[in-house]
Amino acid sequence: MLTCPRTEPSVDVRAVDVTSPAMSRSTTLSEGEIFEILANGRRRETLRHLTETRDGAVTLRSLAIAIATAESGQSPPPPPVRESVWSSLHQTHLPKLDELGIVRYDSDSGTVTMCDSAPEIDTHMEVFVWNGLSWSELYLALGIGSLLAVLAVLLEAPFVGSADPILGVSISLAMFAVAAAAQLWPNRLDMLRMLRRS
């Protein structure tokens, strides 16, 4: 990953108050900026795709194809979808991510490279399991489902009344263990990859 300083939009120096808070902008992202980045699906997919690549660098073309494939569910993606994705990445999303120091986008060569500040964003991305379902919602559903299953066994409900309560508890604990492993394992792999690169 690259160390990418944030780039500020070009301004007329004569018209700027150098004592203003905007001129002493921090290199870390504010929570509002992080949520603004993650509010857009194509930016999320860009960051996800870059995180999953070996060296954190891709071409704009391959990135557009990967995102268009995910959006359309077709491989190869239809040309209008691919062109729409390419255009929005080139004109809007990649310049925004570059300005914030998340990626380095070279529009001349068409390369996109992940920057060191990307893990700051990745921390917020891991909140969601899939399709907007958060980990806390998944754990809540597992907890309620487990409680209902154990109660059904204890109250000898039809179809499950003859089962051993220990079996119900064991299955519930196993589901929690699988969910926790699914949440933590990808993060550990990313940390190992980052350590190997440095």
Side-chain angles (χ1 to χ4, degrees), residues 10-92:
S10 59
V11 292
D12 182 2
V13 186
R14 296 167 292 181
V16 174
D17 176 10
V18 292
T19 61
S20 74
M23 290 308 294
S24 60
R25 194 164 190 182
S26 167
T27 58
T28 61
L29 297 169
S30 71
E31 193 172 86
E33 288 171 323
I34 290 171
F35 288 128
E36 180 185 348
I37 291 166
L38 297 178
N40 184 279
R42 288 183 177 169
R43 285 195 287 255
R44 283 193 309 272
E45 284 302 313
T46 296
L47 296 173
R48 189 179 329 275
H49 186 72
L50 286 169
T51 302
E52 292 171 357
T53 60
R54 171 162 240 161
D55 58 354
V58 295
T59 64
L60 173 58
R61 183 178 187 281
S62 66
L63 180 62
I65 289 171
I67 294 173
T69 299
E71 285 184 6
S72 68
Q74 300 176 18
S75 183
V81 175
R82 187 186 69 238
E83 291 164 7
S84 168
V85 170
W86 187 94
S87 179
S88 70
L89 289 174
H90 175 69
Q91 295 175 357
T92 306

Side-chain angles (χ1 to χ4, degrees), residues 87-106:
S87 179
S88 70
L89 289 174
H90 175 69
Q91 295 175 357
T92 306
H93 304 303
L94 293 177
K96 175 75 172 177
L97 293 172
D98 184 82
E99 176 186 315
L100 293 171
I102 305 298
V103 302
R104 181 59 59 225
Y105 173 49
D106 183 349

